[in-house]
Every structure is written in structure tokens, then in C-alpha cells.
Amino acid sequence: MAVGGGGGGGGANEFQPHPIKEQLPGVDFCVSSTPNWPEAILVGFQHYLVMIGTIVIISTIIVPLMGGGNVEKAEVINTFLFVAGINTLLETSFGARLPVVTTASYAFLIPVISIALSSRFSTIVDPRQRFKQSMRAVQGALIVSSFVQMIVGFFGFWRIFARFLSPLAAVPFVTLTGLGLFAHGFPQLAKCIEVGLPELIILVVLSQYVPSIISSKRVAFHRFAVLLSIVIVWVYAEILTAAGAYDRRPVATQTSCRTDRSGLISAARWIKVPYPFQWGRPTFNAGEAFAMMGSALVAIVESTGVYIAASRYGSATHVPPSVLSRGVGWQGIGTLLFGIFGAGSGATASVENAGLLGLTRVGSRRVIQIAAGFMLFFSVLGKFGAVLASIPLPIVAALFCVLFAYVAAAGLALLQYCNLNSFRLKFILGFSLFMGLSVPQYFNEYLLISDHGPVNTRSIWFNDFVQVIFSSPATVAAIVAFLLDSTFSRGHSSTHRDSGRHWWAKFRYYHQDVRSEEFYALPYKLNRFFPSF
């Protein structure tokens, strides 16, 4: 009986499935390798341009609610950049050792906004004073919540979870780590379609089409597509602004489209070094700290998805559970530093920068450390950093459309380890993906319509905790997929292989695979004092 397809020219190998690859092929530079210095610096600068978008978005949301203006927003952005640079260096050197940028997390927005809108600050007349008091309360909650991440990581609790994680259970939450951020993509791009859409089109053309048309070993167009597209569209946006294209447009359109509306350049100082407790001594509230702990847990889940995606795009082997746990512990130190310096949000692994690893095919750890150097440099030289931070947000949203998609694709690629003909797999995969999108949509819509979440008790901290957990697509998908994979048809003989567990069995313990030492060993032979299990 014919298998399908006609005629004659192909051999038997044409119908063989694609072989499973424990390390992603086609990557130009893996975790432990480095491009030449000029390329490394340019790609590192691209990582800086990509990560600053999230910091500007979060600062733009929280600072006005706290009573701050452009001066405070510029200071918060510089603080975010400074601490993110330190955290990235720590994470790449002593944490998971993956090419991952540690940045501000959206997961902390709900409790931060709740603190900013607290009635105890409404009586403060002076906006600057109100901002400082609000930020000090956020600092206290961040400092307390950071210990959750450190305990979960350094005490090995996340290692236990990761050892029971199968490729099947990982697919939904890694996928939704990227896909769950869809609201930050085209909906934000469309706020200035004449700027955002050209950025998206030019980025796709430069990164995907031009390399296949112009084949050159000396110039890798996909490697610098982000930088080139930003320069082209930013100049175009400057021309539209100077020509008066938005002079009579609504205020919202002018804010999104004009290149002179950020207010950061005039507000930023020429030189300022952020320092600990710059807003004053932190204040502590038990309820606010508890709500912030929910955000810390969500950040752990989402960062784990980024770590797995980054390991793929860095052409490394699967991340050993002990390394994941180590990375989560250092992420807790990152949240602690954000709290001490008063940045206004906790730490997480950057989704967009993990996507950039796939776009550039440069998964080098050293490149990310160079990016951290740019963060520190531009955070201190405030005026120069403010220029780059004033990139219109629709341009940033266009980048997100591509970069978040790469992380989602890294999650779907884990299906190579699984039996796609298994009905058990089809149910767990489909149900967890659907619930991971549907449940957060319900919680977010309810909050938007009713001004409070579905859980509306007298305890605001409890309401915020539940809202944070179930507003995260990756977290909901992780809970559903892990529980189903751990309980449904567990005793069946084929379950182990259908879930792909046998492929990751060799990475359950650090020393079971010799390649772990190449990618994840601590520098300066520190593994002798801090062994991985």
C-alpha cells in the first residue's frame, strides 16, 4: 500500500521523521562561545535596546500612580537599568549561567499598583513626597518577597519540582511565557500604526528574507536586523514629527507617535549613580508583602520558561534541575537588590531578550554580559540613556511581536520529545494551553469591568495574591499541565515515553551528562564549594 505522495524520485529517507536534537543546530555561537569583539558589542547593544522597552513601559505605568512626574520616571528608569545590569552580571556568572537578561517583571504590577493607590497615601499633598512614601512601601514588600525566591531556589525546592517536569508539562508554560504576552504586541503597535507596522515589516524582511536572498559569510543580516530596523523607523518617526504630521491629532496619538513626548531627555540628569535606599528607609506591611509573594512565585515560573528557551537558543543541553534552582535563588537576590535600590518592581528573566537569541542565532553568555555593561553605562549617564529610552513604544511593540514569538516557538519545539499520536498528550497539551489563555482572560476582563478581581474579599492582599497568580498565562498553564501529567494515567506503561521523560532523564542530576559541566559550571572552580546535584 502506498504511503502517500507520488512519484519516484525520493528515497526512503524522505519519509523518515526529523531526528530529535538535544542541542539546537544552526546556532552560530553557543552559550560558552563568543563572536569577535565588534560583533559581540553590536549584538550586546541590541540586547540593551530590546530590554529597555519593558523598563520604560513599567515605569510609565507605576510612576504617575505614585504621584511622580517625568523627573521621577527618569530616575526610576535609571535605577532599573543600573540594578538590571548588576543582576544580569550576577545571573550569568553565578546563577543559571545562561545568556539571560534579568529585568523588571510585569508580574509585580498588580501589588505595586495596589500600594500606589492605597488610601494612606491619598492625604499627602506634595507629589514628590507621595512618590517617595509609595516607593518606600513597595521597597519593603519587594525585600520581603525576595526571600521567597531565595528560599525556593537556594534550598532546592525548585530542584524537586524540575526533576518531575517532563517535556510535555514544559511545553504549555514555556510556550505561554512568550505567547501570553500578546497584549504587549500588536495592540500596542496599533496605537501608532504608521510607525509600528513599518518597524514590524522591516524587521521581518531584514531578519528572514534578506539573508536568504543575499548570502554572505562576512555580513550576517539577521544578526543586526533589530538595530537596523530601529534606526530606519526611528528616523522616519522623527521626520513625521518634525513635519507636523501629528500637530492636530488627539493627545493619545501624539503620545504614542511623536518622538518628543517622552519627557525623559529634559528630565534626566547628566550623571547620577543610583544608590541603596535613595527614597528613604523602606516601610513594611504584612498584607502588601504577602501579595508581593504571589508575584515572586509567578516570576519564578515565567523565568523558568525563559531559562528553558534560552538553553535551546544557546545550543546548550537541557537545564539540570539544580541549575534551575540556582538561577531562581539568584533571581531572589535580584529582587532584593531591586527592593534595596527602590526600582519599583521585582526581577525576572527577560522574555524578549531570550527571543533575540533565536533571531540573531547568537546564544553567547559573553554577549549578554556586554549588554549588562551598556545597562550600567547608560544608567549613570542619564541624558544618553534617556535618548534611547525615548524610542516610541509602537516600535518596541513591533519588536515584541517577533521576539515573543521566538520564545513561544521554543516551547512548541519541545514536542519533538513527545509522542504526538498519544490521545493523553493531546488532551493535556490542548487543555493546558486553552486554560492558560482562557483563565487569565477572565480574570483580566473582570478586573477591567468591575475594578476588582473575581475574588473580592475584605482582605485586599489576598485578592491581589489570587489575581496575580491567575492573571499569568504561563503560571496557569504550568499548574494545569504539571498536575495532569503527574496524575493522569500515571501507571500506564506508555505514559513515561509519551511524555518524553526518558529524554530528560539523563539531565535530572547534574553529573549524569558530561556536557552540563561545559555549559553550567560555576567560574573559578566554585563548584568545589557550591556543588550542583
Side-chain angles (χ1 to χ4, degrees):
M1 182 176 179
V3 177
N13 290 335
E14 185 178 340
F15 300 102
Q16 295 299 314
H18 294 288
I20 291 174
K21 301 290 186 180
E22 292 178 342
Q23 294 175 251
L24 183 65
V27 175
D28 296 332
F29 298 94
C30 71
V31 172
S32 53
S33 61
T34 307
N36 61 60
W37 279 105
E39 284 195 17
I41 291 171
L42 283 175
V43 177
F45 184 65
Q46 283 188 136
H47 277 280
Y48 168 76
L49 289 177
V50 165
M51 66 83 60
I52 199 174
T54 292
I55 287 176
V56 172
I57 291 169
I58 291 176
S59 302
T60 302
I61 293 171
I62 65 174
V63 170
L65 295 177
M66 293 178 175
N70 287 335
V71 172
E72 288 78 15
K73 185 167 81 168
E75 290 175 339
V76 169
I77 289 173
N78 287 344
T79 303
F80 265 130
L81 285 173
F82 186 78
V83 183
I86 295 173
N87 287 340
T88 300
L89 289 175
L90 292 174
E91 186 67 55
T92 53
S93 300
F94 307 110
R97 297 277 288 158
L98 285 164
V100 167
V101 170
T102 301
T103 187
S105 172
Y106 292 109
F108 290 83
L109 276 180
I110 291 175
V112 169
I113 291 173
S114 182
I115 292 172
L117 299 179
S118 176
S119 58
R120 70 180 188 272
F121 302 124
S122 60
T123 57
I124 302 175
V125 179
D126 182 22
R128 176 74 177 181
Q129 212 40 47
R130 183 188 166 199
F131 169 78
K132 285 187 174 181
Q133 293 291 338
S134 302
M135 185 62 81
R136 287 164 62 186
V138 171
Q139 284 183 262
L142 284 173
I143 289 170
V144 174
S145 68
S146 69
F147 287 95
V148 172
Q149 294 174 320
M150 284 189 275
I151 290 170
V152 169
F154 290 137
F155 281 76
F157 294 109
W158 204 243
R159 180 177 68 229
I160 297 171
F161 162 80
R163 281 182 179 157
F164 289 97
L165 185 68
S166 71
L168 171 58
V171 168
F173 83 83
V174 177
T175 301
L176 291 190
T177 297
L179 203 61
L181 295 170
F182 64 88
H184 298 285
F186 201 84
Q188 302 304 314
L189 178 156
K191 289 183 176 180
C192 187
I193 197 76
E194 61 266 37
V195 171
L197 192 58
E199 169 65 29
L200 181 60
I201 293 172
I202 292 172
L203 178 60
V204 170
V205 170
L206 288 178
S207 64
Q208 309 300 324
Y209 288 90
V210 171
S212 62
I213 297 172
I214 304 175
S215 180
S216 172
K217 293 183 179 180
R218 297 185 64 183
V219 181
F221 288 95
H222 62 275
R223 204 167 291 167
F224 309 109
V226 167
L227 184 58
L228 290 172
S229 63
I230 288 177
V231 169
I232 293 169
V233 178
W234 200 1
V235 170
Y236 161 68
E238 287 279 5
I239 294 172
L240 289 179
T241 301
Y246 305 112
D247 289 351
R248 297 184 180 180
R249 302 287 291 275
V251 174
T253 303
Q254 292 193 39
T255 303
S256 297
C257 297
R258 294 183 69 97
T259 57
D260 56 0
R261 281 301 178 95
S262 70
L264 294 176
I265 298 174
S266 59
R269 298 187 188 182
W270 281 103
I271 297 177
K272 184 186 178 184
V273 180
Y275 56 91
F277 308 119
Q278 57 187 328
W279 316 117
R281 188 174 60 185
T283 58
F284 297 90
N285 179 284
E288 292 167 354
F290 185 84
M292 204 73 83
M293 289 179 189
S295 299
L297 293 172
V298 168
I300 289 174
V301 174
E302 294 177 348
S303 293
T304 301
V306 174
Y307 291 151
I308 294 174
S311 69
R312 291 296 295 171
Y313 289 132
S315 195
T317 55
H318 177 62
V319 192
S322 60
V323 174
L324 278 176
S325 200
R326 189 175 74 199
V328 167
W330 279 95
Q331 183 183 321
I333 292 178
T335 299
L336 177 64
L337 290 176
F338 273 133
I340 289 174
F341 279 82
S345 181
T348 191
S350 170
V351 179
E352 54 269 31
N353 289 91
L356 187 57
L357 300 177
L359 181 71
T360 60
R361 301 184 190 178
V362 177
S364 169
R365 182 192 303 124
R366 183 57 52 83
V367 166
I368 300 300
Q369 291 170 338
I370 292 172
F374 280 115
M375 297 174 212
L376 294 171
F377 178 79
F378 286 113
S379 67
V380 174
L381 299 178
K383 289 288 186 186
F384 295 100
V387 171
L388 297 173
S390 62
I391 296 173
L393 290 181
I395 294 179
V396 176
L399 300 178
F400 288 169
C401 290
V402 174
L403 302 179
F404 291 162
Y406 266 101
V407 174
L412 293 173
L414 299 177
L415 288 170
Q416 67 170 328
Y417 300 112
C418 306
N419 177 12
L420 295 177
N421 294 315
S422 164
F423 277 93
R424 176 182 179 274
L425 177 143
K426 295 178 189 299
F427 168 69
I428 293 175
L429 178 63
F431 185 68
S432 56
L433 284 172
F434 183 85
M435 296 303 288
L437 291 172
S438 186
V439 172
Q441 181 71 12
Y442 166 71
F443 271 78
N444 291 330
E445 281 187 359
Y446 202 108
L447 180 64
L448 190 64
I449 294 171
S450 305
D451 210 25
H452 60 77
V455 178
N456 187 30
T457 68
R458 293 182 179 179
S459 301
I460 297 176
W461 55 267
F462 180 76
N463 302 341
D464 289 343
F465 184 92
V466 175
Q467 186 72 25
V468 166
I469 297 293
F470 291 100
S471 295
S472 167
T475 304
V476 173
I479 293 171
V480 174
F482 186 79
L483 287 177
L484 289 176
D485 189 45
S486 300
T487 57
F488 177 41
S489 298
R490 191 81 169 114
H492 199 279
S493 59
S494 62
T495 297
H496 184 80
R497 294 184 62 83
D498 288 348
S499 297
R501 290 183 183 274
H502 57 297
W503 284 103
W504 282 4
K506 68 177 73 173
F507 305 113
R508 289 185 68 189
Y509 296 93
Y510 182 82
H511 292 291
Q512 275 187 295
D513 191 283
V514 294
R515 292 169 293 179
S516 297
E517 194 73 15
E518 176 188 352
F519 299 118
Y520 304 111
L522 292 172
Y524 313 117
K525 299 182 180 180
L526 289 174
N527 276 53
R528 295 180 299 172
F529 307 102
F530 305 99
S532 298
F533 302 101

